[in-house]
C-alpha cells in the first residue's frame, strides 16, 4: 500500500496555475486499491471541510464519493459565487447521477455569471446536467459576438464549430490577404 500522505500530494497539487493548469488526477484515482481509496476519500473529505478547493470536490466526484455529499453541500451553501455554486451543484448532481434541486440551482445561477472566462469555464459543466432548459440557455451563446464564448458554447453542446471559426478568420482577415 502506498503512503496516503504522498498520494494526497499527487492527487491535489498546490492551488496555483503552475501546478493545476491542465492537471488531471483521474489516472491516479483509477490506480487506487480499495483500501487506499477509502483512506484517500476520508482525507479529502476532511480537507474539504476545512477549505474550499474545487479540485478536492472534483476528485471526490470522480471517486463517486457519496460520503462526501454533506461536505460538498456545505460548500455549496457557503459560497456566494454563482460560478462556484454551479461547480458544487454539478458535483452533487454527478455523484447522485442526477438531482433536480441541483439542476434548478445551476439554471438560476447561470444567469448571474456575466464574466466571460467564468461563463466559458462552466459551459462544459452545465451540459453534464442533461437538462434541456440549461442546454437552451447555452444555445443562446452559440452565435455570441465573442469568439471564445461562441466556440465554447458550441463545443459544450457538440455543435460543429466550422462556421464560427470561419467567421473569426474573416473578421481578422486571416487567409484573405496575399503576401
Amino acid at each position: 500500500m502506498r503512503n496516503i500522505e504522498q498520494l494526497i500530494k499527487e492527487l491535489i497539487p498546490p492551488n496555483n496555475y503552475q501546478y493545476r493548469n491542465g492537471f488531471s488526477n483521474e489516472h491516479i484515482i483509477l490506480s487506487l486499491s480499495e483500501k487506499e481509496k477509502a483512506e484517500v476519500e476520508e482525507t479529502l473529505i476532511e480537507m474539504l471541510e476545512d477549505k474550499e478547493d474545487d479540485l478536492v470536490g472534483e476528485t471526490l466526484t470522480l471517486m463517486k464519493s457519496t460520503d462526501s455529499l454533506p461536505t460538498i453541500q456545505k460548500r455549496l451553501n457557503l459560497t456566494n459565487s454563482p460560478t462556484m455554486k454551479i461547480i458544487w451543484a454539478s458535483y452533487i448532481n454527478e455523484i447522485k447521477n442526477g438531482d433536480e434541486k441541483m439542476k434548478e440551482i445551476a439554471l438560476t445561477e447561470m444567469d448571474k455569471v456575466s464574466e466571460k472566462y467564468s461563463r466559458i469555464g462552466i459551459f462544459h459543466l452545465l451540459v453534464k446536467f442533461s437538462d434541456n432548459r440549461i442546454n437552451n440557455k447555452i444555445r443562446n451563446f452559440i452565435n455570441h459576438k465573442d469568439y471564445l464564448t461562441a466556440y465554447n458554447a458550441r463545443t459544450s453542446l457538440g455543435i460543429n464549430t466550422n462556421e464560427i471559426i470561419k467567421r473569426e478568420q474573416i473578421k481578422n482577415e486571416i487567409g484573405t490577404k496575399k503576401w
Side-chain angles (χ1 to χ4, degrees), residues 103-111 131 133-134 137:
K103 288 179 183 182
E104 292 300 324
I105 289 170
L107 196 61
T108 301
E109 297 300 319
M110 187 180 173
D111 293 334
D131 185 282
R133 299 166 302 163
I134 293 171
K137 283 190 175 191

Side-chain angles (χ1 to χ4, degrees), residues 124-159:
H124 294 277
L125 281 177
L126 287 165
V127 296
K128 290 182 178 182
F129 283 96
S130 300
D131 185 282
N132 287 332
R133 299 166 302 163
I134 293 171
N135 291 349
N136 285 336
K137 283 190 175 191
I138 296 170
R139 224 172 252 105
N140 290 334
F141 293 98
I142 65 171
N143 291 313
H144 196 274
K145 65 182 180 195
D146 176 70
Y147 171 74
L148 286 175
T149 301
Y151 183 88
N152 282 280
R154 285 171 181 254
T155 58
S156 71
L157 294 168
I159 298 172

Side-chain angles (χ1 to χ4, degrees), residues 169-170 172-178:
Q169 288 173 333
I170 291 168
N172 293 312
E173 298 180 343
I174 297 171
T176 59
K177 290 186 176 181
K178 302 265 185 206

Side-chain angles (χ1 to χ4, degrees), residues 19-51:
Y19 290 102
R20 292 204 179 170
N21 182 42
F23 176 77
S24 172
N25 60 16
E26 192 168 3
H27 65 288
I28 302 168
I29 294 165
L30 293 172
S31 75
L32 297 175
S33 69
E34 287 304 312
K35 188 169 192 225
E36 289 170 334
K37 186 176 178 185
E39 288 187 44
V40 165
E41 179 182 27
E42 184 180 327
T43 303
L44 291 176
I45 291 169
E46 288 171 13
M47 288 171 66
L48 196 56
E49 277 288 337
D50 296 335
K51 183 178 163 198

Side-chain angles (χ1 to χ4, degrees), residues 4-19:
I4 297 304
E5 194 175 297
Q6 183 58 38
L7 272 173
I8 295 296
K9 286 180 181 176
E10 290 175 35
L11 284 165
I12 312 294
N15 191 1
N16 63 42
Y17 184 84
Q18 175 187 352
Y19 290 102

Side-chain angles (χ1 to χ4, degrees), residues 41 45 48 60-61 65-73 95:
E41 179 182 27
I45 291 169
L48 196 56
L60 289 163
T61 302
S65 170
T66 54
D67 290 347
S68 70
L69 286 169
T71 306
I72 294 174
Q73 182 70 52
I95 291 170

Side-chain angles (χ1 to χ4, degrees), residues 9 21 23 53 63 68 82 88 90 93 100 104 152 166:
K9 286 180 181 176
N21 182 42
F23 176 77
D53 186 334
M63 295 173 74
S68 70
W88 295 119
S90 76
N93 183 68
E100 288 304 314
E104 292 300 324
N152 282 280
K166 188 157 191 76

